[in-house]
Amino acid sequence: MGSTSGRSRIASKTSLARRAVGSISRPQAQVADISEGFDHAAGGIPPRLGMMAAPETVSTVRPVTTAAPQNRDEFWRKVPVWESVSASDFLSYRWGGTPKLLKFLQAVVPDEVPSDESGTRMQTRDEFIKDVLDGVTAATMAIRITPYILSRVNWQDPRHDPIIRQFLPMKSAMMADHPRLVLDSLHEEADSPVKGLVHRYPDKALFLPTSVCPTYCMFCTRSYAVGADTDTVTKASLKPTRRRWEEAFVYIESQPGLQDIVVSGGDSYYLQPDQLRLIGERLIGMPNIKRFRFASKGLAVAPSRILDESDGWVDALIDISNMAKRAGKAMALHTHFNHPNEISWISSAASQRLFEEGVMVRNQSVLLRGVNDDLETMSALVRGLADNKIFPYYVYQCDMVQRVEHLRTPLQTILDLEAKIRGSIAGFMVPSFVVDLPGGGGKRLACSFQSYDRTTGISTYTAPAVTGRDKENRVYKYYDPIDSLSGDAPASSLRGT
């Protein structure tokens, strides 16, 4: 943890924080990070292939208060590198107990792991790690994973673990891209009147104050901007500067029709408490804004921050929520759980705290092949969220971004899941199953297609409420993954002609 590369990364990010909005440098803990690929031929780890360490000057951590059960399972101790880690350390958001990725994998992956789902064929640890490192080179997203998420993985069979499948690329699992896959499939940059603000719907806009997350998803719809540069993508970074934010605020105030703002990124978890307050207070003070939400995967990937009394992020969120209520406005936290295994007593305790403090929490999942694309898993996820007072808001069809063909499902999968889940749980806890239309058409119910040809894999949609930029009467198309098509599909269907 004390490597030169780790210290230089911390120093550079601390410097950025001082130049950004606010003056408090954020803690660089609970995060595993790879920002660039590396040269396999060199036979070593690149300077930036490592886990982020905690800052060298850290205040004393006060005990974590939680309503967790007394006989709580200290599940992280099952991971060899953390078998002696106490609950107080693991639950501290400022704890940085993760070694570099390569060393971590060498320590936790068994000598042999299953290479097929039946477990009849095995591969060595070195073969598995090489597959991961080759995947890092090919991926569009840098790798950043929190200790919490790493502790929820079944390391006896990592290749088929639903959590690993989301965050750690394996080259052998990747498929050739569908010809229609692009980095910015939703055309967000084209719908941005000012940098870091997407205005697509008449009454709602998306504000992107930062392009950093506590954990990076391989299937990120914002792979054109989020995270560090990779071997395959130079990112359109969104640094949290006061000048850029002010341009976004001025635009929002200038649009009387705007009533609803989504504050995302990146991830709102990577905003300092004073930055969170600044944004919240500014939006509350705008007469035209009636509702706003902070989007953060933090509750799913680093829930201890919600419980850590030494960290001010959740206090800022709660204060903003109460301030909005007093002003007659609504604030919510939108989070992102994809699999029931991501839910633990820690996330349940964090959810309970937010519930008791009156913070509305909603969840947005992404439908992913081999992760949550079966009825049993999706039903368990929806019920697990409901039991934790988290409203299952959306289940998205996976966006058509590059390098995720192996994670996409045909549209028929989401249609079948909705049909089977609806009626099995209270209606207000049933999520909307949606497609965020390629080309910037916005979200439409998956079942609202105009046409769906299973042979070609092409579904068509219209979006009457989304206008401007020649979108009137436009027909939008979603394309099923190539391997789900029948052999009779014409080649022209892949090109969309």
Side-chain angles (χ1 to χ4, degrees), residues 269-459:
Y269 233 43
Y270 251 75
L271 296 173
Q272 301 166 22
D274 62 331
Q275 294 174 328
L276 200 69
R277 292 179 191 276
L278 184 153
I279 293 172
E281 291 174 0
R282 189 68 181 270
L283 293 175
I284 291 170
M286 296 181 187
N288 56 318
I289 300 304
K290 309 299 182 186
R291 297 165 297 279
F292 60 97
R293 324 94 177 259
F294 288 102
S296 173
K297 199 172 173 67
L299 182 58
V301 301
S304 61
R305 186 175 199 182
I306 307 297
L307 304 171
D308 192 337
E309 291 185 351
S310 70
D311 186 272
W313 190 89
V314 71
D315 292 329
L317 184 76
I318 292 168
D319 288 347
I320 295 165
S321 174
N322 291 333
M323 190 183 309
K325 290 173 184 174
R326 289 193 294 270
K329 303 188 176 187
M331 188 218 83
L333 174 67
H334 282 199
T335 192
H336 181 185
F337 288 84
N338 279 334
H339 193 276
N341 290 359
E342 297 165 20
I343 301 174
S344 73
W345 64 263
I346 301 176
S347 55
S348 294
S351 300
Q352 179 66 21
R353 179 179 181 187
L354 293 171
F355 178 69
E356 290 180 6
E357 295 286 357
V359 176
M360 168 65 72
V361 183
R362 304 186 187 102
N363 187 74
Q364 302 183 131
S365 300
V366 178
L367 183 63
L368 300 168
R369 189 193 319 199
V371 175
N372 56 15
D373 59 336
D374 63 277
L375 178 61
E376 181 180 0
T377 301
M378 184 59 73
S379 295
L381 175 62
V382 171
R383 290 184 177 278
L385 294 168
D387 290 347
N388 282 282
K389 284 71 70 178
I390 300 172
F391 283 85
Y393 178 34
Y394 279 145
V395 173
Y396 286 94
Q397 181 76 357
C398 186
D399 290 330
M400 294 182 59
V401 293
Q402 292 173 330
R403 301 293 192 277
V404 300
E405 187 77 349
H406 63 296
L407 292 174
R408 295 200 305 127
T409 67
L411 183 74
Q412 191 63 49
T413 302
I414 199 170
L415 299 176
D416 291 343
L417 284 174
E418 179 182 15
K420 293 173 181 177
I421 289 175
R422 190 166 297 281
S424 69
I425 191 171
F428 60 88
M429 282 298 183
V430 176
S432 294
F433 293 79
V434 299
V435 179
D436 209 343
L437 298 177
K443 302 172 186 66
R444 303 295 292 170
L445 291 174
C447 61
S448 68
F449 58 83
Q450 299 294 300
S451 65
Y452 181 27
D453 187 329
R454 289 296 309 277
T455 301
T456 64
I458 299 175
S459 50

Side-chain angles (χ1 to χ4, degrees), residues 25 60 76 102 141 190-191 215 245-246 248 266 270 301 310 316 379 401 463:
S25 60
T60 302
W76 60 89
L102 181 57
M141 294 297 294
D191 284 333
T215 290
W245 287 14
E246 189 58 33
Y270 251 75
V301 301
S310 70
S379 295
V401 293

Side-chain angles (χ1 to χ4, degrees), residues 50-373:
M51 303 300 188
M52 294 187 68
E56 295 182 7
T57 55
V58 176
S59 61
T60 302
V61 176
R62 296 196 297 273
V64 174
T65 58
T66 171
Q70 301 224 338
N71 297 323
R72 57 194 185 187
D73 173 25
E74 297 187 349
F75 51 82
W76 60 89
R77 292 181 183 268
K78 299 173 185 176
V79 182
V81 296
W82 297 323
E83 58 188 0
S84 61
V85 174
S86 67
S88 60
D89 281 342
F90 191 81
L91 291 175
S92 168
Y93 185 67
R94 293 173 181 267
W95 175 73
T98 308
K100 292 179 179 179
L101 179 66
L102 181 57
K103 291 183 178 179
F104 179 84
L105 293 177
Q106 289 171 336
V108 303
V109 177
D111 292 340
E112 289 189 326
V113 294
S115 61
D116 63 347
E117 292 190 13
S118 65
T120 57
R121 290 187 293 114
M122 306 294 284
Q123 67 177 165
T124 66
R125 177 195 299 116
D126 289 345
E127 289 171 335
F128 172 78
I129 292 175
K130 183 181 185 302
D131 197 6
V132 170
L133 299 183
D134 288 344
V136 170
T137 300
T140 60
M141 294 297 294
I143 311 304
R144 185 189 290 262
I145 311 176
T146 60
Y148 174 82
I149 281 297
L150 290 171
S151 72
R152 303 299 294 166
V153 171
N154 173 16
W155 289 107
Q156 298 304 307
D157 187 10
R159 174 174 292 280
H160 305 106
D161 184 87
I163 294 177
I164 282 296
R165 192 166 171 82
Q166 300 177 60
F167 305 119
L168 203 60
M170 285 173 276
K171 186 64 168 62
S172 64
M174 294 181 178
M175 299 178 179
D177 279 351
H178 190 292
R180 305 294 294 192
L181 300 189
V182 295
L183 278 180
D184 182 11
S185 71
L186 304 184
H187 289 195
E188 289 186 341
E189 291 186 298
D191 284 333
S192 295
V194 298
K195 187 174 182 179
L197 187 86
V198 181
H199 188 184
R200 176 173 297 142
Y201 301 95
D203 70 338
K204 183 179 75 175
L206 171 68
F207 175 39
L208 307 173
T210 181
S211 53
V212 182
C213 302
T215 290
Y216 294 140
C217 306
M218 280 194 295
F219 50 90
C220 182
T221 192
R222 217 154 283 132
S223 56
Y224 67 89
V226 169
D229 294 345
T230 68
D231 282 8
T232 58
V233 181
T234 299
K235 307 287 179 162
S237 180
L238 298 169
K239 292 184 172 64
T241 61
R242 183 179 293 275
R243 178 176 179 179
R244 184 175 69 79
W245 287 14
E246 189 58 33
E247 289 176 352
F249 292 145
V250 169
Y251 177 84
I252 293 170
E253 289 176 310
S254 72
Q255 303 293 310
L258 273 181
Q259 297 185 342
D260 192 339
I261 302 296
V262 179
V263 183
S264 184
D267 194 301
S268 295
Y269 233 43
Y270 251 75
L271 296 173
Q272 301 166 22
D274 62 331
Q275 294 174 328
L276 200 69
R277 292 179 191 276
L278 184 153
I279 293 172
E281 291 174 0
R282 189 68 181 270
L283 293 175
I284 291 170
M286 296 181 187
N288 56 318
I289 300 304
K290 309 299 182 186
R291 297 165 297 279
F292 60 97
R293 324 94 177 259
F294 288 102
S296 173
K297 199 172 173 67
L299 182 58
V301 301
S304 61
R305 186 175 199 182
I306 307 297
L307 304 171
D308 192 337
E309 291 185 351
S310 70
D311 186 272
W313 190 89
V314 71
D315 292 329
L317 184 76
I318 292 168
D319 288 347
I320 295 165
S321 174
N322 291 333
M323 190 183 309
K325 290 173 184 174
R326 289 193 294 270
K329 303 188 176 187
M331 188 218 83
L333 174 67
H334 282 199
T335 192
H336 181 185
F337 288 84
N338 279 334
H339 193 276
N341 290 359
E342 297 165 20
I343 301 174
S344 73
W345 64 263
I346 301 176
S347 55
S348 294
S351 300
Q352 179 66 21
R353 179 179 181 187
L354 293 171
F355 178 69
E356 290 180 6
E357 295 286 357
V359 176
M360 168 65 72
V361 183
R362 304 186 187 102
N363 187 74
Q364 302 183 131
S365 300
V366 178
L367 183 63
L368 300 168
R369 189 193 319 199
V371 175
N372 56 15
D373 59 336

